[in-house]
Amino acid sequence: EPEVTQTPSHQVTQMGQEVILRCVPISNHLYFYWYRQILGQKVEFLVSFYNNEISEKSEIFDDQFSVERPDGSNFTLKIRSTKLEDSAMYFCASNQGAGELFFGEGSRLTVL
Amino acid sequence: AQSVAQPEDQVNVAEGNPLTVKCTYSVSGNPYLFWYVQYPNRGLQFLLKYITGDNLVKGSYGFEAEFNKSQTSFHLKKPSALVSDSALYFCAVRPNSGNTPLVFGKGTRLSVIA
């Protein structure tokens, strides 16, 4: 069964460093998303991406964040200068449009 | 803007007993409603959805949910709980037009006791 894959599973970084989280969505999906979850709490929407551009973003997704689909396969989330409060589980998801999202296993980011 | 309320942080139930995890929603227009489950240190796993049609929706692992438009609710149910059902459950909603992102509730931790 096709699945969304995410790397790395865990990244530890120093405050102020840049981080790139990578995702490979399901191959025939058209919409891509990043969500984050802090300490097993609420799952918060960050950004959605369709047709090589951002379609929606939340207030969390400020200028420190960016997304890219560099090669038609990977979908990346970059945090330019990490802050302590960026520590969270980041989930990538994809779907074909309407209907359920398919989530990856997540990338745990720890900012020290 | 859409929102989801899961009024219970924790639900405890004995194995073999029926379980209910509550969810109410607010959305403009008609909703698409979803339940997801999250096991420790794992991603969100899709359980079931309501898009249109029959108000009673059946999903994975014996779970079902009933869409109640008048009460704006979509409670998750299972007739007989298993210890392995212990996990974090999330309700989510989006309007049925456009591709507005899913909005999740805060989650309900289900604990099934043997």
Side-chain angles (χ1 to χ4, degrees):
Chain A
E1 184 175 322
E3 58 182 22
V4 175
T5 57
Q6 290 186 241
T7 55
S9 55
H10 190 190
Q11 175 140 7
V12 181
T13 190
Q14 295 292 324
M15 192 168 53
Q17 295 296 304
E18 176 182 284
V19 162
I20 298 176
L21 305 179
R22 291 182 169 80
C23 170
V24 179
I26 294 173
S27 61
N28 63 343
H29 285 182
L30 302 174
Y31 295 84
F32 315 116
Y33 308 83
W34 283 100
Y35 283 79
R36 79 173 185 189
Q37 184 183 35
I38 296 176
L39 289 177
Q41 301 299 317
K42 187 173 183 177
V43 178
E44 301 173 298
F45 168 73
L46 293 179
V47 65
S48 59
F49 192 86
Y50 169 71
N51 200 26
N52 284 320
E53 60 183 25
I54 290 173
S55 46
E56 286 207 40
K57 60 182 181 179
S58 71
E59 293 175 352
I60 303 168
F61 194 87
D62 62 20
D63 291 344
Q64 293 299 311
F65 291 87
S66 62
V67 288
E68 195 177 34
R69 189 159 160 79
D71 56 12
S73 160
N74 291 282
F75 178 52
T76 62
L77 174 70
K78 182 192 290 186
I79 308 174
R80 210 177 327 276
S81 177
T82 50
K83 303 187 282 285
L84 294 176
E85 55 265 37
D86 293 329
S87 295
M89 196 75 164
Y90 288 81
F91 290 106
C92 175
S94 67
N95 71 355
Q96 292 177 316
E100 67 270 28
L101 269 60
F102 293 81
F103 283 85
E105 291 294 320
S107 293
R108 182 176 300 281
L109 176 64
T110 302
V111 182
L112 302 177
Chain B
Q2 63 262 35
S3 65
V4 175
Q6 292 182 244
E8 303 150 318
D9 291 335
Q10 174 97 28
V11 170
N12 298 318
V13 64
E15 187 175 31
N17 282 2
L19 69 88
T20 299
V21 182
K22 295 179 181 176
C23 171
T24 57
Y25 67 90
S26 172
V27 70
S28 298
N30 293 316
Y32 286 165
L33 292 155
F34 305 81
W35 276 101
Y36 284 83
V37 60
Q38 185 180 32
Y39 297 99
N41 300 311
R42 302 295 302 276
L44 281 80
Q45 188 174 334
F46 170 73
L47 275 181
L48 52 78
K49 65 184 176 186
Y50 171 82
I51 301 293
T52 187
D54 196 346
N55 288 345
L56 183 63
V57 177
K58 294 187 184 297
S60 307
Y61 313 120
F63 283 93
E64 58 188 31
E66 185 163 14
F67 170 58
N68 186 318
K69 188 171 184 177
S70 62
Q71 297 185 3
T72 62
S73 67
F74 191 57
H75 302 330
L76 181 70
K77 301 186 179 192
K78 187 173 182 180
S80 178
L82 300 172
V83 172
S84 57
D85 293 330
S86 299
L88 191 54
Y89 289 81
F90 290 96
C91 182
V93 69
R94 57 171 281 252
N96 71 348
S97 58
N99 197 37
T100 309
L102 273 183
V103 170
F104 286 83
K106 64 179 174 63
T108 298
R109 188 165 300 281
L110 173 67
S111 180
V112 181
I113 304 155

